[in-house]
Amino acid sequence: MGEILVEVATDQPFGHGVPAQLGISGDALNVAAAAAAAGAVVGLLSVLTDDDLGQAIAARIAELGISTALLTFRKGQQGVYLVHSDPDGEREFSYARSGSVGSTLGPDDVDPAVFAAAGAVVAGGIACAISTTSHAAVAKAASVAKRFVYDPNFRPRLTSVEDATAALTELAPHAFLVTPSYPGETRTLLGAATAEEAAAKLRALGTENVAVTCGARGVQLEAGAVSAWVPAIPAPAVVDQTGAGDAFVGTLTARLVLGDDFPTAARYGAAASSLVVGGKGGTGFIPTFGQTRAHAAGETVKGTVPSNA
């Protein structure tokens, strides 16, 4: 659940006349696409504009194998972001999302029966930050979900440290899984010097499982019977790092729901994350689970960079 954004991506610095590629992204969509590719049956709760753009976005959602049954269409403006990626995949963002139609998501959009029946519900700090109603929707979902997964996804341009910390503290007791990043979120939101300390603090709040993502190094896993380090898997190609963390969360969650143990699911998440950076945009390349499984096993994965990259 969360906001979907129109993505305008360019390889050149922002400027008049710069050629760009139009796409559809946003953390919620990226997570959902990865989960669907990993084998889960996925629905996406979001609000789109009731016009041709909203219909085009819905068509892309369906194309990614995600159910559109939970989408709502309302009058308003779709959120947009521009992203410039340099040759190493590093990104510069510019957003136009204030008052977006996606931010009108609210508690009334959360059907308790649907959310209680789902194998897992994934939401993030961005959904909590874009509006008070969206935050309330996330809180409602967390209270009824069988497994609630929360990615803090702290964005200083959207929210304050205090509000992001409060959201994490509020939702952690309801969480089956929390996926903070080290060192940024673990230090800023949890005051933890190490990944292990951050996981311990979340577990003390009531979180069942914690996966602390440590960038290019790997992921630290902590649960009742598990303390494991999952090393990162080198990417075959780096075009754009947009959506890498979302791919990890979506794949990890899907594989846990489908029955994989925590370290195995995280290994698949790490593999998917390193493959998606070979495409341009948040959903520019979504690997099949066959490709993810092969990459996790150390096999060469062919065809990982689409022609439009």
Side-chain angles (χ1 to χ4, degrees):
M1 60 185 297
E3 183 182 31
I4 300 173
L5 299 169
V6 175
E7 173 189 78
V8 182
T10 174
D11 296 327
Q12 301 177 26
F14 299 135
H16 178 74
V18 170
Q21 177 176 305
L22 191 65
I24 310 299
S25 190
D27 62 324
L29 177 59
N30 302 340
V31 168
V41 177
V42 182
L44 178 57
L45 178 68
S46 193
V47 184
L48 305 177
T49 54
D50 60 348
D51 55 17
D52 289 348
L53 177 57
Q55 292 301 320
I57 294 171
R60 175 58 175 162
I61 291 169
E63 186 180 67
L64 290 168
I66 303 163
S67 171
T68 60
L70 300 180
L71 296 176
T72 297
F73 298 85
R74 296 179 183 140
K75 292 187 182 301
Q77 172 187 309
Q78 199 71 43
V80 178
Y81 75 93
L82 292 81
V83 58
H84 159 237
S85 298
D86 66 21
D88 295 322
E90 294 296 331
R91 301 155 296 161
E92 178 183 350
F93 292 92
S94 180
Y95 289 89
R97 73 194 311 176
S98 179
S100 70
V101 72
S103 68
T104 69
L105 183 71
D108 289 345
D109 296 313
V110 177
D111 184 333
V114 171
F115 277 68
V121 174
V122 184
I126 292 175
C128 289
I130 56 176
S131 71
T132 55
T133 60
S134 182
H135 184 152
V138 172
K140 181 178 179 180
S143 71
V144 300
K146 185 185 306 180
R147 299 183 186 92
F148 177 69
V149 177
Y150 186 68
D151 181 4
N153 221 342
F154 174 54
R155 296 291 184 268
R157 291 185 181 182
L158 282 178
T159 188
S160 67
V161 171
E162 293 76 14
D163 286 348
T165 300
L168 178 57
T169 303
E170 171 194 2
L171 296 167
H174 300 281
F176 167 74
L177 171 66
V178 176
T179 60
S181 64
Y182 171 88
E185 291 171 351
T186 56
R187 290 180 180 172
T188 303
L189 305 184
L190 291 165
T194 67
E196 292 84 354
E197 182 185 351
K201 287 192 172 188
L202 287 167
R203 298 260 299 142
L205 288 171
T207 302
E208 188 173 344
N209 303 282
V210 182
V212 183
T213 57
C214 301
R217 291 176 52 227
V219 184
Q220 180 66 41
L221 306 179
E222 296 290 342
V226 175
S227 179
W229 173 256
V230 177
I233 302 174
V238 179
V239 174
D240 183 353
Q241 296 181 36
T242 303
D246 301 329
F248 173 78
V249 173
T251 303
L252 169 61
T253 301
R255 297 313 305 177
L256 286 172
V257 171
L258 292 168
D260 290 339
D261 61 46
F262 199 12
T264 300
R267 176 73 176 174
Y268 288 140
S273 178
S274 77
L275 287 174
V276 300
V277 300
K280 183 182 291 184
T283 60
F285 175 66
I286 304 296
T288 66
F289 184 60
Q291 290 172 318
T292 294
R293 183 168 49 197
H295 193 44
E299 302 172 16
T300 300
V301 178
K302 296 182 179 180
T304 55
V305 181
S307 60
N308 64 358

